[in-house]
Amino acid sequence: MLVKSSIFQRIYYGWFIVFIAGLGIFFSGPGQTYSNSQFIDEYIRDFGWSRSQVSSLYSVATLIAGLIMIFVGRFIDRFGQRMMMVSVGTLFALACFFNSMVSSMWMLAIGFFLVRLLGQGSMSLIPNTLVAQWFIKKRGRAFSIMTLGSFASAMSFPIINTWLIGEWGWQFAWRFWGVLLLVLFVPIALIGVRNKPEQIGLVPDGLSQNERGDAGVTIGAKVTASEQNWTLKEAMRTKAFWAILVCVGIPSMINTGITFHIISILGTNDLSPEIAAMVLSLMAAVGIPMSLVSGYLTEKVKTNYLLLGIFIIEIMLLLLLLITNHLVIAIVFGTLWGIANGFERIALNVIWPNYFGRKYVGSINGFGVTMGVLGSAFGPLPFGVGFDLFQSYTPILLISLVFPVIGILSALIAKKPDKTQLVEQS
């Protein structure tokens, strides 16, 4: 077994799992908007399709993929992360090859659906549930390290895609990622992934059975005597489950809406597209250290309090966009946005296993990923419609303030549930 290797006796194997999970998050890139956006103009130029046609297909494909993610979570619980990661990685590579052959609208629709389902959805969900199995007390810092793969992906894919498309064409770019998935990621996942530490004679966090014992573990500044494993049906009977779903959907919707229209929003304030690009880069750069900080904080502070802080920052962001008409203010906005994103990426992933345990985290977190994908599908629409109606983003930005307020109320409701109370009520 792997654990018998001398290096794995010195270093807890869970940290190698974190690396593989981070690699999985990185390779979700071909299914993410920051990667697909590089291909849109190529489709429009080569095939004569309109921007609205391509955008509509992308939104519908994202919506359908989001709904199906519920079943992906159940498959993870049934078949395990290793089999799912290898299977999804292989299918995702084939989806990349399929996208390289797109020549009609129906092929584009199928291609968008496949990369959104397998990339944005599945390749994000599987690593999150995998790391949750290997860590409890150190779960926050493990997630923060894994999330570095997300920021690395967001920063590198647009640059690499632009170069590949410019040198060899968009078809080659899709095939490039398909080959890397098959020859690099899939073999690493097949050889290296183990679903749970118990499979190789270990326990979560690298503690021995005697060290862990019944002493309890610290989760979100609260000591629990033992980890409570909830089924999906049990979790759905709690107020916290539905409140967390709201907390997941709102940032996804607001962030996607702002990101999709950031050039236009800042343009109405006489700021150039270059400044808008700088804001996006600054957001990603600031998010890296903030994700590490938030990973540590999730081990010390109750997770719903962190969610409360996220929505307070979102209110500040929406108000700040109203007056972002100077480079200095744009830098402040990008920095604050990066802080919020750093906290969101960790807190919204850690909260599911922290609240509902490891055993059925795939099914439960599958609902969370579904809500996130649905939020990203609907996010750009109100900003676009609002601008068309009012010829300004001010009304929709003010109306959008309602959502983080709802998020604040949901965060206050989203207290860690106690399974014993659920049993007593039944």
Side-chain angles (χ1 to χ4, degrees), residues 20 37 89 127 167 223 261 342 415:
I20 298 174
S37 62
E167 293 292 328
V223 176
H261 297 283
K415 297 179 180 178

Side-chain angles (χ1 to χ4, degrees), residues 39-52:
F39 295 89
I40 302 304
D41 287 342
E42 305 299 320
Y43 298 145
I44 293 172
R45 185 180 64 250
D46 284 5
F47 303 111
W49 301 327
S50 70
R51 189 171 298 275
S52 61

